[in-house]
Amino acid sequence: MKAYATISSCFYGRSALREGVGSVSSIQATRLRKGMLIKLGNDLLRLLELTHLTPGKGRGYVQARMLNIRSGASADHKFRSEDTVERAVLDDREMQYLYEDGGGYHFMDTENFEQTHMLGDALGNATRYLIPNGLIRVQFYGEEPVGIDLPKTVELKVEDTPPSIKGATASAQIKPATLETGLVVQVPAFINVGDTIRVNTDTGDYQSRV
């Protein structure tokens, strides 16, 4: 079974969520974690950054920077430690990534062949790991796509990288490489244009040559 790195901090199987699709669960503000999807009013917000603060006087609070999944706008919000927050309950579906155009990134459900798309703002840096025709896990809130799960590693082709330099010292044996998706990673000197490499999707680091 392929392992997946979670963009959202919690991931649910489709069969377990038939009754909970589009619903929310309550969570205390102090338990919020980066990557979670929460609901404030009618907005769905991805938590990008969290800072837990406890002032010398008064109660602690959580300062959050969030991304509105629907509008692409970012916002800051301060939660009191005792606040209860609505966390979106998500359904996940295996889909095939098709292509990107000006309207977003397009995916097809591998079970019923229905297509859906998401804006680049909602996907963030995950777009750098999407390969046409590759299988991916797409997160849904009800019938609305809200994010994706990436595999732990992906294999990408090197499109551009400087040639190796003869006589370079050991400390200089790392160079930048631009991959087929536009992602730039640091690679060993022996990597050449046309090579396929394995990249860690959590860190964006080179793992090995394939």
Side-chain angles (χ1 to χ4, degrees):
M1 180 180 294
K2 186 180 291 185
Y4 286 90
T6 308
I7 293 177
S8 175
S9 65
C10 193
F11 209 72
Y12 302 85
R14 186 186 305 195
S15 60
L17 275 183
R18 286 302 182 187
E19 296 181 358
V21 170
S23 63
V24 296
S25 61
S26 296
I27 184 173
Q28 191 172 355
T30 54
R31 296 180 59 200
L32 293 173
R33 296 293 181 267
K34 181 179 177 180
M36 283 184 179
L37 191 70
I38 64 172
K39 192 168 185 287
L40 290 179
N42 293 321
D43 293 327
L44 285 174
L45 301 151
R46 181 80 66 187
L47 298 176
L48 302 179
E49 298 176 14
L50 289 169
T51 305
H52 296 257
L53 299 169
T54 305
K57 293 182 179 180
R59 298 180 178 180
Y61 63 92
V62 179
Q63 185 69 39
R65 172 161 285 273
M66 307 175 294
L67 175 71
N68 189 310
I69 294 299
R70 292 165 175 155
S71 69
S74 59
D76 294 315
H77 189 84
K78 183 165 71 175
F79 298 96
R80 298 174 302 172
S81 296
E82 63 270 24
D83 284 345
T84 298
V85 183
E86 292 185 330
R87 179 182 179 181
V89 176
L90 305 178
D91 179 20
D92 75 290
R93 307 175 191 177
E94 183 178 77
M95 305 193 83
Q96 184 180 42
Y97 170 57
L98 300 177
Y99 61 91
E100 180 269 336
D101 60 16
Y105 292 77
H106 297 257
F107 302 84
M108 181 179 69
D109 193 304
T110 56
E111 288 188 6
N112 57 29
F113 307 109
E114 292 181 357
Q115 294 187 23
T116 189
H117 75 280
M118 281 181 280
L119 298 178
D121 286 339
L123 296 174
N125 290 333
T127 59
R128 296 297 193 181
Y129 302 101
L130 291 176
I131 307 169
N133 302 317
L135 296 179
I136 205 77
R137 309 295 294 187
V138 177
Q139 300 170 328
F140 282 79
Y141 178 72
E143 292 303 313
E144 179 181 1
V146 294
I148 62 175
D149 254 11
L150 292 170
K152 288 286 187 183
T153 61
V154 294
E155 296 177 1
L156 299 170
K157 185 178 179 180
V158 177
E159 294 285 347
D160 185 54
T161 190
S164 302
I165 302 175
K166 272 191 174 183
T169 62
S171 61
Q173 294 301 304
I174 298 295
K175 59 181 182 177
T178 302
L179 309 183
E180 59 186 294
T181 60
L183 179 69
V184 177
V185 299
Q186 298 298 314
V187 299
F190 60 79
I191 297 297
N192 297 306
V193 172
D195 286 346
T196 298
I197 64 172
R198 186 171 291 112
V199 180
N200 184 304
T201 58
D202 282 332
T203 63
D205 293 338
Y206 165 88
Q207 296 286 286
S208 63
R209 182 166 61 182
V210 178

